[in-house]
Amino acid sequence: MNVSVRATVCAMGIVALCAPARAGLSPRPVAGRVQPASIDNTATIGVNNLQMVVTNVGSFAYDATNHYGKADGLYFPRGTNKTVIFASGLWVGARINGTPRVTVAEYSTEYSPGGMSNGTFVPDAGRYHVYKINRGDSRETNPDYANWPFDDGAPALKNAAGSDSLDEFGNRIPTILGDQSLYAIYNDADPGAHTNGAGRSDPLGLEVQQYVFAFARGGALGNTVYLTFKIINKGHDTLEDTYVSLWSDPDVGNASDDLVGCDTLLSLGYAYNDGPDYVYGAGAPAVGFDFLEGPVVPAPGDSALQFGRYIHGFRNLPMTSFNKYVNGTDPTNKIESYNYMRGLWANGDSVTDDAGQVTPFQVAGDPVTEAGWIDVNAGDRRFMMSSGPFTMAPGDTQEVVVAVLVGQGDDHLSSITALKSVSSQAQAVFDLNFQIPFPPPQPQVWYQPLANDVELIWSTEAEGDVQVSDVLHQRFVMEGYNVYQGESQAGPWKKIATFDVDDDITRIYKDEFDPAIGAVQRVMIESGANSGLKNHLSINTDRIKGGGLINHRPYYFAVTTYSYDTLNLTEYNLGSTLLGHLTEALETSPQAITVVPSSVALQLVDTARHVSGQSEGAVVIRYLDPANASGHDYEVTFNEDRTWNLTDLTGGTTVLADQANQSGDFLYPVTGGMMVQTIGPDPDVKDITWEGPAQWVTGVNWGGRFFGGGIDIGANFWGSSIEDQTQLVPVELRFSNTNKQKAYRYLRGANPNYAYQDYRDVPLTAWDVSTEPPRQLNLCFIEQYALSSENGTWLPPDDDPETGGREYLFVLKSDYAPTPNEFYTTRSIRFDAPEFDVLYAWWPVVAAGHSSAELADGQIMRIALNKYNTSGDHFAFTAPRPGQASAEDASAKLKSVHPIPNPYFHTTDLEPGLTQRQIKFVNLPPMEATLEIYNLSGDLIRTVRKSDLTSDEIDWDVLTTNGLPPASGIYIYRITVPGLGEKVGKLAVFTEVEQLKIY
């Protein structure tokens, strides 16, 4: 590094405002002051391949306090100590009454935390740190989310009408672009802050609202960080000929071998190596900044993008100048800095390129092709890329959006090509307003706490989700669900189950840098087993601590969805073994739910009353959100097509109509805080039983039941005209050598094949037993082996004992006719006529060593059917709302109330933390209740009230009314439920802290 010609000034205070000298290099030029305590120099954004320091004073990619081990502030790859930028910052310059003023953020900064009011800075409010939130955060898991500074300009999520979206508690919701977002507000209105030699002018009167975000992705977005600067003139002066600049001191690995350049078409400024680098080796990356959205200026007939919408009569300025200099030739005053912004040399002279042409863009050639003006004589470079001029009257606002980018190829020149590709894709994603693939929709998760068990149920809207980005050449398809258990509401999370699509994809891998070994590792990011998608899991084991779930102890679970990129999918093989696939996967963040198993659940699984009908069905009600239960009476009825309806009898409304699901799974809609599982069997054969003397048939081979409509392959083959299974009837085949009936005989192998032969006796009668008296049914059979064994009988003694000769017997729907119908005597076998509807087809297998001669009277085959739900079946139930319980149920629960643990030994598995004592009084009815704790002298030492009607417990923190631990000993507890009664009992408490006289 060249020796600086400027003096180095280090101001020591809460923040070190100068960079430390590095081995063999001179320190950075610095001037500054002691900053207020609210300066935040420790925040970083780091969800992809980049980790960058972000401050609330205008500088970024600069570690002013060496908090992360070195002053450099942009690490690539994330997790290493390799850096590509030493320092960067936002500079703004303008003329006020013809005189230039410049505000800089360099190695020291002229911005201060916070906003402006009445033309000046707002004093330090103690809240102006860098706020950092992640996709999936909540008010419970992240204080920055809960305290998001909306009143300081931090963006709020908008609804379709353009108003602020609100959560269920009426709170505004932060905007989270990408997967991680950081917000800070700062201003240049404090004259005492303007001490940097490159500025050192009066304030411009600017407030800057800075929003930084990035995507946890691979590809181009994995090497991109977006920065948005909302710049507001809150001073009293009009700013003329205003320029906004991105200043940077890039150090691509080693600081002394860097070159810089710009691409005017991409509005891109960048730095790269002159060859191999001793930090990065041959594949030294390139780093740059891209003006994605510049300031707006009037332009009749044009349109400009600002604050997410297009405004007519304006246009966005691109990069309008690019300047470079080496360490030691830094601007020393506001005039030189302002000249650089204007695209001039520091002394105000015009810049000319290698061809002698005046240009505001230094080194705008192409280093890859060596065309045009390119940088030479590598060294410790600085560069400024600027956009302007524009005018800002008091109250005017400009928005500038830039991207920090890194590209890496096989060598220093291919890295420039890679960087420009990243730049183009980052710009395209911005132009699409970030409408790119995201993880599949987050499922809604419900739960039901049971005794030592938890039922998790989640919604299915993510299934089949496909998201495509032509810009990124990616296509993500939903692949599965992951279920996690957390150590707390905020994690860490342990995956306990995966349910994935049954396809060719199981394990998904990606390549990522492992800082532990200092190299890229191939790691598995998703692991499925082609289990098929499910939306329910019963959990009875604690996968964090081991053992079973403990009643009344809180557990934390989450369900996520994930997808994978099908367009960039490659096999990952080890030799000839397929281990999985290499591609990018997207997964939602765990959203914690808290579940407390209970030995007497507040709302048990309820079974509706079967008011009328003969079905074997049932209606199960799962109260997944008891707080929303209505207390109304409900009825489940069935339509002729077997669909069902849920009616609110109290409200007189149809809640659900024409529902088809009767499987008993967990794919039913959740309404009114409950899932109504209407369950019933399909119209089908329930079982086949035998009665009578020793069976001569050793097995029943149901080769086909002919229902028609393509339901069974046999139906299609034989052409049965039975429309659906509801036309089946229960049947008895009563075998006898004496009590016989006629059956139509067809012969296989005749010419024509399956031709009708005659009307023959068979040793059985067939009966429809659904009627009273039973109705006798028609039969037919097919005789096989016409050339060798055909003898005109069904089940002759000489049939093949291994197969039964495939002597098919068909039970027909039509009534038995002692005289053959003319239709059957003139046609080959056809089952496509109504009078020939086939209910059942059967062929027996005669065991070896036996024959049909063993047939005896009294042998009966019974074909029983499921009793499915019909329009005659009605079910009814009441959904009790919180606090609504019968006196009998409430009294029973009150009698079962007891403390756990008892005795109490100052620490238990039920306590939320090591320092948090807790005794639970459980099994309370869903009503208001009061707990009183007395010592043996009859003194009341603590009162706790329960008003939550959805809770079945009261927690005592084992403290007296004065907040002191009670003495060890025996205590009396009394629980009172208004209008119901009370429960009194004893409780033994042993604590490690004794308070004998004060309570």
Side-chain angles (χ1 to χ4, degrees):
M1 175 181 288
N2 296 327
V3 178
S4 173
V5 297
R6 294 199 295 153
T8 300
V9 179
C10 289
M12 301 302 295
I14 298 212
V15 180
L17 295 176
C18 64
R22 295 175 289 175
L25 303 177
S26 63
R28 300 285 170 163
V30 174
R33 63 174 184 134
V34 176
Q35 301 282 13
S38 58
I39 288 180
D40 188 348
N41 281 317
T42 62
T44 67
I45 187 165
V47 291
N48 51 30
N49 296 329
L50 307 182
Q51 182 175 5
M52 185 177 77
V53 176
V54 178
T55 77
N56 61 346
V57 286
S59 64
F60 55 93
Y62 177 47
D63 188 1
T65 61
N66 285 342
H67 185 81
Y68 298 99
K70 55 193 300 188
D72 308 65
L74 179 56
Y75 293 81
F76 172 80
R78 175 170 61 96
T80 72
N81 63 353
K82 299 178 180 180
T83 55
V84 289
I85 292 180
F86 184 83
S88 295
L90 176 69
W91 292 23
V92 182
R95 298 183 192 273
I96 297 178
N97 298 322
T99 301
R101 297 183 189 180
V102 175
T103 298
V104 305
E106 196 195 36
Y107 312 109
S108 68
T109 179
E110 297 184 326
Y111 297 100
S112 300
M116 292 180 61
S117 179
N118 298 321
T120 188
F121 63 93
V122 176
D124 177 19
R127 69 176 187 272
Y128 298 130
H129 67 274
V130 177
Y131 291 77
K132 181 176 180 178
I133 56 178
N134 298 280
R135 185 172 296 277
D137 283 350
S138 66
R139 297 177 64 86
E140 291 73 27
T141 61
N142 185 348
D144 280 355
Y145 186 103
N147 299 297
W148 190 245
F150 298 106
D151 294 339
D152 290 329
L157 185 67
K158 302 295 183 182
N159 57 30
S163 303
D164 290 349
S165 294
L166 302 177
D167 64 17
E168 58 183 317
F169 303 106
N171 301 307
R172 284 184 288 178
I173 303 172
T175 291
I176 304 178
L177 287 176
D179 294 286
Q180 189 175 84
S181 302
L182 284 71
Y183 180 80
I185 183 173
Y186 47 89
N187 70 88
D188 83 328
D190 183 1
H194 289 255
T195 58
N196 187 291
R200 201 174 296 164
S201 65
D202 290 334
L204 292 165
L206 297 177
E207 177 182 293
V208 181
Q209 299 174 8
Q210 172 186 282
Y211 184 78
V212 182
F213 59 98
F215 293 85
R217 303 291 178 91
L221 289 180
N223 287 358
T224 301
V225 173
Y226 292 93
L227 300 94
T228 298
F229 302 102
K230 185 178 182 180
I231 305 170
I232 309 171
N233 182 359
K234 289 195 173 182
H236 301 298
D237 299 310
T238 296
L239 308 182
E240 298 178 337
D241 297 326
T242 307
Y243 291 84
V244 59
S245 301
L246 292 175
W247 169 89
S248 185
D249 175 2
D251 287 353
V252 184
N254 178 26
S256 61
D257 59 357
D258 293 345
L259 299 166
V260 298
C262 69
D263 187 318
T264 58
L265 297 178
L266 295 175
S267 286
L268 173 69
Y270 57 90
Y272 61 102
N273 265 77
D274 65 347
D277 179 76
Y278 79 75
V279 175
Y280 284 102
V287 62
F289 299 90
D290 187 348
F291 271 119
L292 303 176
E293 178 192 320
V296 299
V297 295
D302 210 337
S303 293
L305 181 64
Q306 190 178 52
F307 310 122
R309 62 187 180 88
Y310 283 96
I311 55 175
H312 299 295
F314 293 85
R315 68 182 179 91
N316 292 106
L317 289 175
M319 177 178 67
T320 56
S321 71
F322 181 86
N323 300 81
K324 72 178 181 71
Y325 52 90
V326 297
N327 185 13
T329 64
D330 309 72
T332 60
N333 56 61
K334 62 182 181 181
I335 301 299
E336 292 181 354
S337 297
Y338 189 65
N339 284 336
Y340 274 138
M341 292 179 173
R342 296 165 60 203
L344 306 173
W345 293 114
N347 62 6
D349 290 342
S350 296
V351 174
T352 56
D353 61 19
D354 285 351
Q357 299 295 314
V358 175
T359 177
F361 301 103
Q362 296 186 39
V363 291
D366 187 349
V368 177
T369 62
E370 299 184 349
W373 184 13
I374 60 175
D375 198 7
V376 294
N377 301 323
D380 186 11
R381 293 286 192 267
R382 322 276 198 269
F383 70 75
M384 291 172 58
M385 48 188 297
S386 306
S387 185
F390 54 93
T391 299
M392 293 188 72
D396 280 356
T397 301
Q398 290 279 4
E399 181 183 55
V400 175
V401 182
V402 299
V404 183
L405 315 160
V406 174
Q408 187 170 35
D410 295 330
D411 55 40
H412 66 293
L413 293 180
S414 62
S415 290
I416 298 174
T417 303
L419 177 71
K420 291 184 178 182
S421 175
V422 172
S423 172
S424 296
Q425 292 186 65
Q427 178 74 61
V429 169
F430 174 78
D431 293 341
L432 289 171
N433 196 24
F434 304 103
Q435 298 301 308
I436 59 174
F438 280 89
Q442 180 77 40
Q444 183 174 358
V445 183
W446 300 278
Y447 62 89
Q448 190 162 32
L450 302 172
N452 305 110
D453 199 348
V454 169
E455 298 281 351
L456 291 186
I457 303 165
W458 55 91
S459 59
T460 61
E461 63 267 25
E463 295 178 17
D465 181 74
V466 178
Q467 300 183 47
V468 179
S469 173
D470 294 331
V471 169
L472 299 175
H473 187 64
Q474 292 179 316
R475 180 179 182 270
F476 286 88
V477 300
M478 190 272 183
E479 176 64 14
Y481 299 106
N482 286 323
V483 183
Y484 294 89
Q485 182 180 344
E487 293 185 19
S488 69
Q489 277 194 327
W493 297 97
K494 180 177 181 179
K495 189 184 297 184
I496 63 174
T498 297
F499 302 107
D500 63 323
V501 176
D502 187 3
D503 55 14
D504 295 331
I505 305 299
T506 53
R507 293 175 292 274
I508 299 175
Y509 293 81
K510 78 170 184 177
D511 293 334
E512 63 179 26
F513 187 86
D514 185 348
I517 64 173
V520 172
Q521 287 282 86
R522 183 156 292 178
V523 297
M524 184 169 61
I525 53 176
E526 301 293 351
S527 178
N530 289 335
S531 61
L533 296 177
K534 299 179 182 179
N535 75 317
H536 166 256
L537 181 63
S538 180
I539 304 169
N540 56 23
T541 302
D542 185 342
R543 297 290 294 275
I544 301 293
K545 295 184 177 181
L549 298 185
I550 300 173
N551 287 337
H552 309 291
R553 175 180 177 177
Y555 295 90
Y556 310 100
F557 298 100
V559 181
T560 66
T561 58
Y562 70 92
S563 59
Y564 72 98
D565 180 8
T566 63
L567 298 184
N568 297 281
L569 184 73
T570 58
E571 290 187 351
Y572 173 33
N573 296 289
L574 182 62
S576 59
T577 302
L578 177 65
L579 297 183
H581 291 83
L582 185 66
T583 189
E584 186 173 357
L586 302 177
E587 183 177 358
T588 56
S589 300
Q591 304 287 318
I593 60 169
T594 304
V595 187
V596 182
S598 176
S599 56
V600 180
L602 180 65
Q603 295 285 4
L604 298 177
V605 176
D606 188 14
T607 302
R609 304 183 307 279
H610 197 169
V611 177
S612 63
Q614 302 298 318
S615 79
E616 298 169 322
V619 174
V620 176
I621 304 93
R622 295 183 178 272
Y623 296 100
L624 305 179
D625 187 5
N628 285 327
S630 64
H632 291 184
D633 294 328
Y634 292 87
E635 181 183 47
V636 173
T637 58
F638 297 86
N639 305 316
E640 291 296 333
D641 61 358
R642 299 185 57 242
T643 60
W644 56 273
N645 316 295
L646 174 65
T647 303
D648 182 344
L649 297 177
T650 305
T653 60
T654 299
V655 180
L656 298 172
D658 304 325
Q659 300 292 301
N661 189 3
Q662 295 188 43
S663 66
D665 60 18
F666 293 83
L667 295 175
Y668 297 82
V670 177
T671 179
M674 60 188 177
M675 175 181 285
V676 178
Q677 292 175 301
T678 299
I679 303 168
D682 290 329
D684 205 345
V685 173
K686 181 178 182 179
D687 55 36
I688 302 166
T689 58
W690 285 83
E691 179 183 308
Q695 295 177 195
W696 50 272
V697 177
T698 60
V700 177
N701 184 350
W702 288 92
R705 295 186 299 274
F706 299 93
F707 313 132
I711 294 176
D712 189 275
I713 293 176
N716 291 335
F717 178 78
W718 293 106
S720 173
S721 59
I722 290 286
E723 294 181 357
D724 58 62
Q725 288 122 305
T726 61
Q727 297 185 45
L728 295 178
V729 295
V731 165
E732 287 185 4
L733 301 183
R734 302 171 182 173
F735 294 89
S736 173
N737 282 314
T738 57
N739 186 16
K740 302 179 181 182
Q741 75 173 60
K742 299 285 186 178
Y744 301 103
R745 183 173 73 101
Y746 294 83
L747 187 62
R748 180 186 179 190
N751 188 12
N753 202 17
Y754 294 114
Y756 172 74
Q757 301 298 307
D758 49 27
Y759 202 43
R760 293 290 185 99
D761 285 336
V762 288
L764 75 154
T765 56
W767 302 89
D768 170 7
V769 292
S770 67
T771 64
E772 184 58 43
R775 177 174 63 96
Q776 191 169 3
L777 300 174
N778 243 323
L779 296 171
C780 75
F781 70 94
I782 299 174
E783 191 169 9
Q784 305 280 13
Y785 307 108
L787 299 179
S788 59
S789 60
E790 182 264 319
N791 58 8
T793 64
W794 183 66
L795 288 177
D798 55 354
D799 278 345
D800 183 351
E802 294 298 325
T803 66
R806 288 292 188 263
E807 299 271 325
Y808 289 86
L809 178 71
F810 297 96
V811 181
L812 306 184
K813 185 179 179 181
S814 57
D815 290 346
Y816 174 64
T819 303
N821 186 294
E822 181 66 21
F823 172 81
Y824 304 119
T825 62
T826 58
R827 298 186 60 174
S828 297
I829 187 168
R830 289 293 301 262
F831 296 154
D832 56 358
E835 61 268 36
F836 217 110
D837 284 340
V838 177
L839 293 174
Y840 307 104
W842 174 55
W843 54 86
V845 177
V846 181
H850 297 266
S851 74
S852 56
E854 301 174 34
L855 183 65
D857 289 356
Q859 293 167 339
I860 302 174
M861 176 193 289
R862 289 192 172 90
I863 304 173
L865 303 181
N866 291 328
K867 295 180 180 180
Y868 54 90
N869 292 316
T870 70
S871 58
D873 290 284
H874 293 247
F875 294 83
F877 65 94
T878 299
R881 63 177 180 269
Q884 181 183 28
S886 67
E888 181 180 353
D889 292 341
S891 178
K893 283 191 174 184
L894 182 59
K895 292 178 181 178
S896 67
V897 171
H898 64 278
I900 57 172
N902 187 14
Y904 171 79
F905 293 97
H906 78 76
T907 181
T908 73
D909 285 338
L910 300 178
E911 292 175 329
L914 293 176
T915 62
Q916 296 173 284
R917 296 188 178 96
Q918 190 174 86
I919 297 176
K920 290 178 175 288
F921 294 80
V922 300
N923 295 345
L924 277 82
M927 306 171 73
E928 294 184 352
T930 301
L931 165 68
E932 296 171 318
I933 306 292
Y934 296 87
N935 62 21
L936 292 181
S937 298
D939 300 314
L940 176 66
I941 69 168
R942 185 65 186 273
T943 300
V944 182
R945 291 180 172 83
K946 179 179 91 75
S947 58
D948 183 0
L949 301 183
T950 66
S951 173
D952 64 347
E953 63 184 41
I954 296 179
D955 296 335
W956 179 34
D957 57 8
V958 201
L959 295 174
T960 68
T961 302
N962 293 326
L964 300 173
S968 297
I970 304 298
Y971 291 85
I972 305 298
Y973 69 85
R974 180 172 70 178
I975 295 178
T976 305
V977 179
L980 187 62
E982 63 180 30
K983 170 70 180 291
V984 179
K986 297 178 182 179
L987 172 65
V989 176
F990 298 94
T991 67
E992 74 279 20
V993 179
E994 298 288 341
Q995 298 286 346
L996 300 180
K997 297 182 178 180
I998 301 175
Y999 50 84

